[in-house]
């Protein structure tokens, strides 16, 4: 009797206090694809730029742990930690993963840029959970990639555990308050892999009449694309029906 085929395994590096990716990703993965996680240590819970960037120093070591289970791709699944070093650092993190493991590596920040291009979004309104200074740095990051951030709002969380305490309904409510601004843009981007969003994307797209990209949706979509896995309409927004734009 033939044995069942081995699943396709996707690898993710998450900040040590991230509790959201491990909940959201498995819910939307097609049959035969599984998500596996390694944690990036960070000494403090306070959301400070230097600490978030320093967290990426362990990317090689934590990626190495995922090689033991034959993952097809490794995503540095953190938005702030991958954009705060600038566009060059965001690209270099993926290169570092590949150099250390031989496995294709990407970051959430570059995945978001890929997702925005795939959705035809050039001008977007942005929601984040970060302090105002980190939100401003993120806007500058995307502006440097030739996107236009038309406006921002933030929950202004000061410490990491405050972010998963926010319900996805609160994100949708904030988006609704900015519906007119989002309508004047090409779409909405919701940042942070520790902020729950995926169960609300489809409803937000219907409410706003605009495409919605979130950090977690972009990270999972890019991982599936890197592993050459089918996506289609999996119930969390238009992005999963789109291909990479080269």
């Amino acid at each position: 009797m033939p044995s069942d085929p081995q699943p396709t395994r996707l690898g993710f590096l998450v900040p040590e206090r991230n509790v959201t990716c491990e909940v959201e990703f498995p819910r939307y993965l097609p049959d035969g694809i599984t998500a596996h996680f390694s944690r990036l240590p960070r000494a403090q819970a306070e959301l400070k730029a230097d600490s978030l960037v320093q967290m990426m120093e362990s990317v090689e070591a934590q990626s190495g742990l995922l090689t033991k289970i034959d993952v097809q791709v490794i995503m540095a699944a953190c938005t702030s930690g991958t954009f705060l070093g600038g566009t060059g650092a965001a690209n270099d993190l993926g290169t570092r993963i590949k150099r250390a493991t031989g496995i294709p590596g990407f970051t959430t920040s570059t995945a978001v840029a890929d997702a925005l291009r795939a959705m035809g979004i050039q001008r977007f309104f942005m929601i984040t959970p970060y302090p105002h200074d980190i939100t401003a740095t993120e806007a500058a990051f995307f502006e440097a990639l030739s996107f236009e951030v038309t406006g921002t709002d933030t929950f202004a969380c000061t410490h990491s555990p405050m972010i998963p305490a926010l319900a996805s309904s609160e994100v949708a409510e904030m988006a609704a308050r900015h519906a007119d601004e989002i309508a004047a843009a090409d779409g909405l981007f919701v940042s942070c892999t520790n902020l729950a969003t995926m169960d609300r994307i489809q409803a937000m797209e219907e409410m706003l009449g605009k495409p919605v990209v979130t950090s977690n949706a972009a990270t999972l979509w890019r991982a599936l694309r890197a592993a050459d896995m089918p996506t289609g309409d999996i119930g969390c927004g238009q992005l999963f029906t789109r291909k990479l734009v080269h």
Side-chain angles (χ1 to χ4, degrees):
M1 186 173 181
S3 59
D4 291 335
Q6 289 294 310
T8 295
R9 300 186 178 100
L10 309 178
F12 300 93
L13 307 175
V14 296
E16 64 179 28
R17 295 175 180 85
N18 185 307
V19 295
T20 303
C21 292
E22 289 154 312
V23 173
E24 293 204 314
F25 292 171
R27 287 178 179 169
Y28 294 98
L29 282 173
D31 291 342
I33 306 174
T34 55
H36 303 271
F37 300 86
S38 187
R39 309 198 94 74
L40 298 167
R42 187 165 76 89
Q44 62 186 81
E46 190 175 6
L47 293 169
K48 292 288 189 181
D50 56 350
S51 172
L52 290 162
V53 171
Q54 188 177 31
M55 176 173 59
M56 293 299 150
E57 293 178 0
S58 63
V59 156
E60 287 88 353
Q62 301 308 312
S63 294
L65 298 177
L66 290 168
T67 65
K68 314 302 181 185
I69 56 171
D70 193 28
V71 296
Q72 300 299 300
V73 61
I74 298 175
M75 304 293 301
C78 175
T79 322
S80 57
T82 59
F83 71 70
L84 282 165
T87 57
N91 287 320
D92 185 54
L93 281 166
T95 302
R96 286 168 53 190
I97 291 169
K98 178 70 181 292
R99 187 185 303 125
T101 65
I103 296 168
F106 304 93
T107 72
T108 291
S109 292
T110 56
V112 169
D114 286 340
L116 292 167
R117 295 184 187 109
M119 296 291 284
I121 298 173
Q122 181 67 34
R123 304 172 65 253
F124 61 87
F125 189 90
M126 183 172 73
I127 289 174
T128 90
Y130 310 127
H132 293 282
D133 61 328
I134 293 178
T135 298
T137 300
E138 182 168 25
F141 172 87
F142 285 108
E143 296 273 358
L145 293 174
S146 299
F147 295 99
E148 181 182 347
V149 180
T150 61
T152 66
D153 200 355
T154 176
F155 291 99
C157 297
T158 57
H159 291 72
S160 293
M162 297 170 67
I163 298 174
L166 295 164
S168 61
S169 59
E170 294 177 81
V171 177
E173 288 164 5
M174 181 175 280
R177 292 196 294 272
H178 293 283
D180 289 345
E181 293 162 273
I182 296 166
D186 298 329
L188 169 66
F189 167 50
V190 183
S191 185
C192 187
T193 58
N194 209 12
L195 182 62
T197 57
M198 291 182 73
D199 66 331
R200 300 281 172 172
I201 295 173
Q202 202 161 318
M204 285 194 290
E205 289 185 332
E206 292 170 1
M207 172 188 69
L208 299 166
K210 293 285 183 174
V212 175
V213 170
T214 77
S215 287
N216 278 356
T219 301
L220 185 59
W221 169 81
R222 189 65 184 85
L224 288 165
R225 288 303 183 201
D228 199 25
M229 289 290 105
T231 54
D233 186 359
I234 62 173
C236 56
Q238 302 173 43
L239 174 61
F240 288 86
T241 66
R242 304 297 178 90
K243 296 181 179 180
L244 276 169
V245 175
H246 296 286

